[in-house]
Amino acid sequence: MQFYLDGYRPGDPEYRPAAPGRDESSKGAAALPDEVDVLIVGTGPAGVVLAAQLAEFPGITTRVVERRGGPLEIGQADGVACRTVEMFNAFGLAEKLVREGYWVNEATFWGPDGTRNGSTAGITRTGRVQDVADGLSEYPHVIVNQARMQEYLLEKMRTSPSRLVPEYGVEATGVEVLDDGGDYPVKVTLQREGGDTAVVRAKYVVGCDGARSAVRKSLGIELRGDARNHAWGVMDVLAVTDFPDIRLKSVVQSPAGGNLLIIPREGGYLVRFYVDLGDLDPADRDARKRFTFDSIVAAAQKALHPYTLEVKSTAWWSVYEVGQRIADRFDDVLDAERGTRTPRVFIAGDACHTHSAKAGQGMNVSMQDGFNLGWKLAAVLEGRSPESLLDTYAEERRVIAQELIDFDLRFSTMMAAHPTDPAHPELGGVDPAEKQRMFTEAGRYTAGFATEYTPGLLTRSAEHQAVATGFPVGQRFYSAPVIRLADAKPLGLGHVAQADGRWRIYAFAGAGDPTSPDSGIAQLAAFLGESEDSPVRRFTPDGADLDAVFDVRAVLQQDHRELEVEALPAFLRPVKGPFGLKDYEKVFTPDLKGGRDIFDERGIDRERGAIVVVRPDQYVAAVLPLDAHAELADFFAAFMQPAAALV
Ligand code: FAD
């Protein structure tokens, strides 16, 4: 984190100065403006990530409306995949999250106790595995209440230069795209608690309003799929038990009473139980509502037999049906119209995909939807990209949602399956060992690392993958340890990338002396700093800092003590801000003292070097040889345009 570029200020540097017109007096402003650039409907995980991202751009007028009277306080999702922790790091929130959360390091599996002579005699531990395989991420899989996750991001919004806070008690009841709507073509009808209605006009609207999305319905978009009619109870409780794995994630397949998933919660005492309540009669629409809290506890007690469970206090409980459904479209543009008009209304999160909670993906994938869309809206609204960039949201995220639906169907079916009974093979079921194997195999997916964007406008082909094999094109940029040259600080290379909408260009040096003007690094720096074709020169607005749009970082092969900062190209020490200060944080070397050489760990071609281009949402967009200047320029020219000068 860098600060004081504009001058020293006492106090918490994370509480950044408000942009002009966005100071404390605008905080919590009750009146919504008549016209906004972006209106976000809903403050669930999708809405708050999107809002936190847009709050970084105070020149963009963003507003958030939420039907509830205030922030969520309890319940709903709690599983935070490693990938989400990585994203939180970009928002400067990972340390907090990791400190507060329960770490899911191992999982145990329980099945029928065959030694007890009889299929109803109880359960025994059948296996124990590491939850997240080594080498997937530097962050753990954690459990933190969805309400807390949202609160972190709401705080980020509140302390951002935009000082953005949601308008609570305001429900969006209708959204319409007007043909003759001018610059603000989307008309949103809002209803305040108490009955007043209001109309706001927006350039773009994003429906982050959950599974029953009013925005989706206004667009006539259907959620298609299967309700499956299988009920699960969920309860967050403080309980006394003699079940030995109560502080480990445990998958219990009981012969006596269905399936249980036990998720220990943050704080050391709280535990979540997902309890299989069985199939529901599709004709009986009220079946789910008849389950009581006591019936969920009784089902959990039965499944845990012979272990005991005594619930002492209940934080939250709910019953829901498992189903996998996906929206036909993720924006207001029909397939036949694609390319002929700009998408104006988007849906994200549960509004466009719903699935079971067992794989812990609801909150995580919804947040990634918001992260994917946020920087694109900012780029278009700031004039750095044409509106066609916005088509890539639906194009990219619908594929990811379909993969999630397919995965979840397999995963939740496996989790709900009863154990096999050797005496009755005709009854089917899943053997506990098989369940454990499938769970382990799914680990990469559940940790959030299965997303791989395919070649397209924002993702180049993998033709040059060989120069950086450890940064697969289309996948998230996997950080590795480095030493910052100027101050010898060890850190993760990926951790310097903040959620600020900037593109990252990581230049990995090839063989030779990087201080020589003939070196690949110096040649690239000269191209980026001086050539008319340079994307940095073409697409950084006049008057903005040199790294305002592209954050170029160099990683050299030498030990950090062998190099002098001032001997490197000046482009790697950009002069910034009102005082013309040099930014010394652009150059890194391997962490040789720590024994981890990023060139080895990420398969960088030591002879040729490599360029790794990373999107603002942390996905690898391109891998190129260090001298592929023209290809680098062409990549950005396809979706960027010169923005207006800053005044
Ligand atoms: P939501 O989190 O649903 O947020 C939508 C927000 O929009 C809400 O704050 C809502 O009040 C607001 N809103 C809705 N309509 C309007 C409107 N018209 N105008 C203004 N605001 C509106 N996942 C798990 O992994 N484990 C669980 O145990 C689990 N339990 C759940 C229990 C419940 C009762 C629910 C609803 C969901 C549960 N989920 C669970 C799913 C998980 O919470 C979601 O996948 C995730 O929250 C989706 O995020 P989202 O931002 O898309 O939508």
Side-chain angles (χ1 to χ4, degrees):
M1 182 185 178
Q2 291 177 289
F3 38 89
Y4 304 149
L5 178 66
D6 301 337
Y8 175 75
R9 271 185 321 279
D12 180 355
E14 295 212 32
Y15 196 85
R16 289 166 291 162
R22 304 295 174 100
D23 59 9
E24 298 298 314
S25 60
S26 67
K27 212 172 163 183
L32 278 160
D34 294 338
E35 293 176 341
V36 300
D37 291 326
V38 184
L39 185 78
I40 299 170
V41 182
T43 59
V48 287
V49 166
L50 177 60
Q53 175 68 97
L54 287 170
E56 293 298 310
F57 301 89
I60 296 172
T61 306
T62 303
R63 286 292 187 273
V64 189
V65 293
E66 167 57 54
R67 182 172 60 189
R68 275 199 213 99
L72 183 75
E73 290 183 349
I74 50 168
Q76 304 194 189
D78 62 356
V80 185
C82 307
R83 170 75 196 109
T84 302
V85 187
E86 292 180 1
M87 182 190 70
F88 263 54
N89 184 67
F91 282 101
L93 300 168
E95 278 104 352
K96 236 177 177 176
L97 179 61
V98 164
R99 191 172 65 238
E100 181 171 332
Y102 168 85
W103 290 26
V104 190
N105 286 339
E106 297 190 1
T108 64
F109 295 83
W110 290 72
D113 186 353
T115 63
R116 285 179 180 243
N117 189 26
S119 63
T120 57
I123 51 173
T124 188
R125 191 191 291 121
T126 57
R128 180 167 179 150
V129 297
Q130 192 169 311
D131 184 75
V132 179
D134 290 335
L136 270 187
S137 174
E138 68 277 24
Y139 287 116
H141 169 196
V142 298
I143 302 293
V144 172
N145 189 303
Q146 177 177 331
R148 291 288 299 144
M149 297 288 288
Q150 292 174 194
E151 181 51 34
Y152 292 155
L153 290 156
L154 289 167
E155 175 67 8
K156 184 79 187 167
M157 289 156 55
R158 265 195 297 274
T159 57
S160 73
S162 299
R163 297 288 190 268
L164 182 59
V165 290
E167 314 284 337
Y168 291 106
V170 179
E171 178 171 358
T173 53
V175 175
E176 193 183 345
V177 183
L178 306 174
D179 289 336
D180 55 353
D183 286 344
Y184 297 88
V186 194
K187 179 181 157 193
V188 187
T189 310
L190 301 170
Q191 178 136 32
R192 287 183 187 280
E193 250 173 354
D196 292 355
T197 58
V199 169
V200 168
R201 296 281 292 268
K203 287 183 180 163
Y204 301 101
V205 170
V206 190
C208 303
D209 49 346
R212 297 199 171 87
S213 169
V215 175
R216 184 189 69 233
K217 286 176 192 158
S218 292
L219 297 178
I221 299 177
E222 300 273 335
L223 269 188
R224 294 190 198 282
D226 186 359
R228 302 215 68 76
N229 305 307
H230 194 100
W232 284 79
V234 53
M235 56 181 183
D236 289 333
V237 295
L238 296 166
V240 175
T241 178
D242 56 359
F243 179 65
D245 290 348
I246 196 68
R247 295 309 300 167
L248 290 169
K249 175 173 171 178
S250 301
V251 180
V252 180
Q253 220 182 350
S254 157
N259 297 287
L260 265 191
L261 178 62
I262 299 175
I263 309 281
R265 297 289 303 263
E266 61 275 27
Y269 302 102
L270 197 66
V271 183
R272 171 166 290 196
F273 287 84
Y274 284 107
V275 186
D276 186 349
L277 299 174
D279 289 335
L280 302 181
D281 175 359
D284 181 358
R285 300 192 70 174
D286 291 331
R288 184 165 63 92
K289 295 183 189 146
R290 283 197 290 276
F291 288 106
T292 61
F293 174 66
D294 288 343
S295 68
I296 299 172
V297 175
Q301 287 167 330
K302 194 171 167 199
L304 272 186
H305 173 79
Y307 299 102
T308 59
L309 176 73
E310 198 183 338
V311 173
K312 298 288 186 182
S313 171
T314 309
W316 177 77
W317 70 277
S318 172
V319 176
Y320 61 92
E321 278 178 71
V322 173
Q324 285 82 17
R325 293 187 301 156
I326 183 167
D328 305 340
R329 289 178 283 131
F330 283 21
D331 63 29
D332 62 312
V333 178
L334 298 170
D335 283 349
E337 301 175 303
R338 187 71 63 196
T340 64
R341 72 176 188 85
T342 302
R344 291 286 174 183
V345 186
F346 306 85
I347 48 175
D350 275 13
C352 43
H353 44 75
T354 62
H355 35 82
S356 81
K358 261 8 103 315
Q361 297 301 298
M363 173 162 66
N364 295 287
V365 177
S366 300
M367 287 187 161
Q368 290 296 333
D369 286 347
F371 203 26
N372 182 293
L373 183 57
W375 67 266
K376 294 175 182 175
L377 281 169
V380 169
L381 284 161
E382 288 198 336
R384 290 181 274 114
S385 286
E387 290 174 329
S388 54
L389 177 68
L390 298 175
D391 286 316
T392 64
Y393 167 72
E395 192 181 297
E396 291 183 340
R397 296 310 292 177
R398 198 172 185 289
V399 173
I400 301 304
Q402 187 61 57
E403 285 169 6
L404 169 61
I405 298 295
D406 297 343
F407 169 83
D408 189 62
L409 184 57
R410 294 193 300 276
F411 196 80
S412 60
T413 305
M414 180 264 291
M415 295 294 282
H418 62 80
T420 46
D421 182 346
H424 296 283
E426 74 282 4
L427 297 178
V430 174
D431 181 62
E434 174 65 2
K435 197 175 250 197
Q436 179 176 327
R437 189 190 62 75
M438 289 167 79
F439 177 93
T440 309
E441 256 182 31
R444 186 176 170 77
Y445 193 97
T446 51
F449 298 121
T451 296
E452 181 166 340
Y453 293 124
T454 50
L457 188 65
L458 299 175
T459 310
R460 252 189 132 266
S461 80
E463 85 186 272
H464 297 298
Q465 189 70 70
V467 295
T469 54
F471 292 119
V473 177
Q475 295 185 22
R476 70 79 164 85
F477 180 80
Y478 183 10
S479 183
V482 285
I483 300 280
R484 196 161 56 202
L485 178 64
D487 61 356
K489 181 175 179 177
L491 37 70
L493 183 60
H495 299 187
V496 296
Q498 296 182 353
D500 52 15
R502 290 189 293 168
W503 283 82
R504 262 85 207 178
I505 300 175
Y506 295 101
F508 290 87
D513 177 4
T515 64
S516 157
D518 298 330
S519 68
I521 282 286
Q523 303 264 316
L524 179 67
F527 169 71
L528 291 174
E530 294 157 29
S531 168
E532 283 188 1
D533 297 329
S534 158
V536 176
R537 286 200 52 186
R538 289 186 65 198
F539 305 125
T540 304
D542 286 345
D545 284 337
L546 190 60
D547 64 351
V549 178
F550 299 95
D551 181 17
V552 182
R553 310 265 178 167
V555 188
L556 312 177
Q557 296 196 29
Q558 289 76 2
D559 183 280
H560 66 278
R561 293 185 180 183
E562 290 173 18
L563 292 163
E564 294 296 336
V565 173
E566 292 287 338
L568 292 164
F571 179 80
L572 296 174
R573 290 183 306 287
V575 170
K576 294 163 53 176
F579 303 114
L581 303 181
K582 290 181 191 173
D583 185 339
Y584 287 104
E585 302 200 349
K586 301 292 188 189
V587 185
F588 305 85
T589 65
D591 185 1
L592 299 177
K593 190 175 163 202
R596 297 183 59 182
D597 188 333
I598 188 170
F599 283 79
D600 293 337
E601 287 202 11
R602 295 292 173 266
I604 309 294
D605 186 325
R606 287 184 178 276
E607 195 54 39
R608 301 175 67 193
I611 298 172
V612 179
V613 178
V614 181
R615 298 160 42 138
D617 56 1
Q618 301 175 316
Y619 283 85
V620 176
V623 168
L624 297 166
L626 196 56
D627 57 2
H629 303 172
E631 283 170 272
L632 184 67
D634 290 348
F635 172 72
F636 287 113
F639 59 88
M640 291 186 112
Q641 62 191 18
L646 296 188
V647 284

